[in-house]
Amino acid sequence: MIARLELIGMEWSREWVAREHDRLLRSCYTLFEEGHYQEGLRLAWAFSAMCQETRSHWRTWEKVVDVQADLAKAARDPVAQGRAMLDGAELCANQGDHDQGMTYARRARWVFGRVDADEVWHARAHRALGINLREQGHLDAALREFDAAAQVFARHDRWWWARVQTHKAEILAYIRPPEERVGLLRSVARAFDELGDTDRRDFARVLLAEALGEEGYALRAWLTLQDLHESFVRKGWDWYVARCLRAMGELDSQVLVEQYELCDLVLNPNRARELRNAVRSDVARETNDSGLLSDETELLAVRRQVRQRYQARIQDLLGAYADQARQEVRKGGSPIQRHGTAQAGDWSVRGRTMLLERALAMFDQMGDPRSANEIRLALGRVLVAERGTKEAATVFKRAVRGFEGLGNHWRKARAQRVMVTELFEELMAKNLARGVPLPPRMAGRLMRQLRDHAQDAFETYSELDNHMGRLRAQVLLARVLWARMADQAEVRGHLDQAEEVAHEHGEERIVEEVRRWRRMFFVDHPGHIARQWPIHG
């Protein structure tokens, strides 16, 4: 990144920046005082990029942005003034001052328009505005800004295109199913790799692993994250180490174990007899179900097809790691190393909890409260399964308070929605299995709290340019209100409104979900009957 900003080629590191940042700042001031404005601008641009890259030296970065503005004004260079505003917008985004960040980005866009600057600078302004819109929860507007920037960068600068697409993928993680971002992130990782930016390539691979895990490829995601974790540890990049630990802790325990067992069964030569028995069992079932004749030729053909399907499934589950696993077998080792340097111990819920607690401690130590509160949301999800609603609720509420303390209304509302969803589903699970959409009677106090949080989250989302967040919050509120025996007209009103908005945005999955709940509430289990059933107690 630094080399792209026209600074004389040089080797630098995080340690070097930590050691030299005061001297670099003094050099910027000296160049300004001595009238070397263009040289000062180049140094200020590069130093801002270093601070952004290392996520460090915030106060120094502020001063560099200020001196950059002074240098641009003294040089009477309007494009440089716009660039100073872009750096200001980037700094504000990292510090959480998103209103000021949007102001800087819009001013930069106005400046670039006034002097008819190259369209790449307009695209940079779109990106800076999108970043600040995203952090305020205006995800629809942020996507529009990122798409506008990407169209320009696709014609002029592949590196900036890949950066913007990374931002887009981070938004899609909140609002779209994982398969919609897997292909995008593969393209991004490939672009950064071909451009020689291995740092951003590896972060794109972290995001890709998260998407693959959500898509059902938990073992491939684990192996990818394990490799990235080792690399980040060697480099001493603690923020990325913690980010990997969070992603690993969010992978589903049961899916990991099942996929590992299948891969080990197929690839481990010590389990050849078990594999033969499994193949015979599948062959017997298929020949019985299909009515095939059981002569030897047909049996051999079916057996070969079954073995091929096992191999194809392994290739699908592991991707490039399948070849690596086979090489390990040829060397006499185990096909898949389960634990590696992450020291998870195992893939149990307790093991996942330990990973997330380590990541939380690291983010707290680094002074990154936003990331720490995101970890608390992930930890709360895991604790629901391991220890029930009481301890999970404590962790969730701390995340809600944390985001509230940061003044981030969207992240607070999202934390509330996640908390209500997880705790509500846990409370409802047993009765829903019986077909009763009501919670246990002894959960009255918690249900009142969940209703208040669901209402608060919906009201916040209603003020944001974020249709998917609003839809999810409104459907959730309708469900909680129904369980709290609210007026049926109020519940129906929320469902009808959600269906209308979902139709407007082409969100057919939400439309089907709304219809499913409406049918359950008002057709399958009419309120005046379901609410009197003793079974829900």
Side-chain angles (χ1 to χ4, degrees):
M1 179 176 181
I2 309 305
R4 301 179 61 81
L5 296 175
E6 302 173 2
L7 187 69
I8 296 172
M10 58 176 289
E11 292 295 326
W12 67 280
S13 66
R14 283 162 169 72
E15 294 76 15
W16 182 83
V17 174
R19 187 174 64 248
E20 301 291 341
H21 66 97
D22 283 336
R23 185 178 301 178
L24 288 168
L25 179 61
R26 288 197 301 272
S27 297
C28 290
Y29 285 131
T30 300
L31 289 167
F32 172 69
E33 292 166 358
E34 294 182 358
H36 302 295
Y37 303 132
Q38 290 301 325
E39 291 81 358
L41 283 169
R42 290 175 62 196
L43 180 59
W45 292 331
F47 190 27
S48 290
M50 292 176 188
C51 292
Q52 180 187 342
E53 193 85 358
T54 59
R55 296 174 180 265
S56 62
H57 312 298
W58 305 107
R59 291 182 182 177
T60 306
W61 189 4
E62 275 186 76
K63 295 175 182 177
V64 170
V65 170
D66 289 340
V67 75
Q68 186 183 152
D70 293 338
L71 285 160
K73 184 177 180 180
R76 298 182 180 181
D77 185 340
V79 173
Q81 291 179 42
R83 290 184 70 169
M85 293 174 192
L86 289 182
D87 273 355
E90 194 85 46
L91 175 63
C92 288
N94 280 273
Q95 292 183 320
D97 189 1
H98 304 296
D99 286 332
Q100 184 60 52
M102 288 193 295
T103 299
Y104 277 136
R106 288 178 174 132
R107 285 179 182 171
R109 190 162 59 186
W110 179 82
V111 168
F112 294 143
R114 189 185 64 174
V115 299
D116 196 25
D118 190 289
E119 65 174 345
V120 168
W121 292 113
H122 290 272
R124 291 276 300 274
H126 279 299
R127 172 189 168 272
L129 181 56
I131 288 172
N132 284 282
L133 284 167
R134 178 191 66 191
E135 288 307 312
Q136 286 200 322
H138 300 296
L139 302 190
D140 295 348
L143 277 177
R144 291 192 291 271
E145 297 295 332
F146 290 147
D147 285 341
Q151 289 177 9
V152 175
F153 290 136
R155 296 192 294 270
H156 297 282
D157 194 315
R158 193 181 179 205
W159 184 82
W160 275 109
W161 171 87
R163 284 201 68 185
V164 170
Q165 297 296 59
T166 304
H167 302 322
K168 180 177 180 177
E170 290 178 298
I171 289 182
L172 295 180
Y174 293 117
I175 63 176
R176 309 304 309 170
E179 57 269 19
E180 294 191 22
R181 64 186 195 273
V182 166
L184 177 63
L185 285 166
R186 283 182 174 141
S187 297
V188 167
R190 183 166 54 251
F192 281 134
D193 188 50
E194 291 172 357
L195 293 166
D197 191 339
T198 57
D199 297 348
R200 296 194 183 279
R201 176 204 65 192
D202 286 348
F203 183 62
R205 290 182 65 205
V206 173
L207 300 178
L208 175 58
E210 289 180 327
L212 288 170
E214 293 173 31
E215 200 177 14
Y217 295 94
L219 185 56
R220 192 195 306 184
W222 173 274
L223 294 170
T224 301
L225 291 165
Q226 184 173 266
D227 285 348
L228 290 168
H229 176 272
E230 292 177 4
S231 174
F232 294 144
V233 168
R234 286 195 301 270
K235 294 176 181 178
W237 294 3
D238 290 344
W239 192 92
Y240 294 96
V241 170
R243 191 69 174 73
C244 275
L245 292 174
R246 167 188 154 185
M248 296 169 86
E250 289 183 303
L251 294 173
D252 188 280
S253 304
Q254 183 176 348
V255 176
L256 276 169
V257 171
E258 289 174 354
Q259 293 182 356
Y260 173 83
E261 287 300 319
L262 176 60
C263 292
D264 195 61
L265 173 67
V266 175
L267 298 174
N268 193 336
N270 296 325
R271 301 182 67 181
R273 179 177 293 181
E274 290 179 68
L275 178 60
R276 284 195 299 271
N277 291 337
V279 169
R280 288 194 185 105
S281 177
D282 287 354
V283 169
R285 183 169 56 254
E286 291 191 18
T287 53
N288 289 335
D289 291 345
S290 63
L292 289 173
L293 295 175
S294 56
D295 65 77
E296 190 63 25
T297 302
E298 284 186 337
L299 284 174
L300 287 173
V302 173
R303 191 175 298 153
R304 185 163 51 250
Q305 292 172 3
V306 170
R307 283 186 172 276
Q308 289 172 349
R309 283 204 300 271
Y310 271 106
Q311 292 293 338
R313 178 59 176 153
I314 299 307
Q315 190 67 47
D316 181 54
L317 284 176
L318 296 180
Y321 286 99
D323 292 336
Q324 179 179 319
R326 293 185 181 100
Q327 290 173 9
E328 290 298 323
V329 169
R330 284 195 289 271
K331 295 176 184 176
S334 176
I336 300 173
Q337 297 297 321
R338 286 182 53 160
H339 310 308
T341 58
Q343 298 174 358
D346 55 42
W347 288 325
S348 67
V349 173
R350 178 56 188 155
R352 293 169 61 196
T353 302
M354 292 171 62
L355 285 174
L356 293 170
E357 288 173 343
R358 287 176 57 204
L360 176 58
M362 293 180 73
F363 281 130
D364 277 337
Q365 187 175 8
M366 284 183 275
D368 186 345
R370 193 194 78 182
S371 295
N373 288 316
E374 290 289 347
I375 291 286
R376 290 187 178 97
L377 289 182
L379 185 57
R381 291 191 187 99
V382 177
L383 290 176
V384 167
E386 184 188 22
R387 302 174 192 172
T389 57
K390 186 175 181 180
E391 189 168 344
T394 300
V395 175
F396 279 133
K397 289 175 183 176
R398 187 171 178 189
V400 171
R401 290 194 301 270
F403 287 126
E404 184 175 33
L406 293 173
N408 194 312
H409 302 298
W410 164 56
R411 290 192 182 275
K412 177 194 171 186
R414 179 174 170 271
Q416 289 175 304
R417 181 175 61 78
V418 170
M419 174 178 68
V420 174
T421 300
E422 296 294 330
L423 298 180
F424 183 63
E425 294 289 357
E426 180 68 14
L427 288 174
M428 296 286 289
K430 290 182 180 179
N431 282 353
L432 277 178
R434 300 170 180 171
V436 181
L438 296 173
R441 285 174 178 164
M442 69 283 295
R445 182 168 178 269
L446 179 56
M447 283 299 302
R448 285 193 296 273
Q449 294 175 355
L450 296 184
R451 177 202 58 197
D452 293 344
H453 282 294
Q455 182 72 47
D456 192 22
F458 171 63
E459 290 173 0
T460 299
Y461 272 111
S462 297
E463 298 173 357
L464 301 176
D465 190 357
N466 183 342
H467 76 276
M468 183 58 77
R470 174 190 167 179
L471 287 170
R472 288 173 175 166
Q474 190 164 27
V475 173
L476 178 62
L477 177 59
R479 293 181 60 198
V480 173
L481 288 172
W482 175 265
R484 286 285 302 153
M485 301 187 182
D487 183 77
Q488 293 188 43
E490 182 180 8
V491 175
R492 190 184 291 274
H494 279 298
L495 292 176
D496 290 347
Q497 188 180 55
E499 183 176 7
E500 181 180 350
V501 173
H503 265 308
E504 290 175 3
H505 290 274
E507 303 292 354
E508 292 306 314
R509 294 186 185 187
I510 301 293
V511 171
E512 289 304 314
E513 182 183 355
V514 168
R515 290 174 178 172
R516 186 171 69 250
W517 291 119
R518 187 190 290 119
R519 185 168 56 249
M520 175 178 282
F521 295 159
F522 302 110
V523 178
D524 297 343
H525 304 298
H528 69 283
I529 297 175
R531 299 178 191 207
Q532 297 175 14
W533 285 355
I535 192 171
H536 77 273

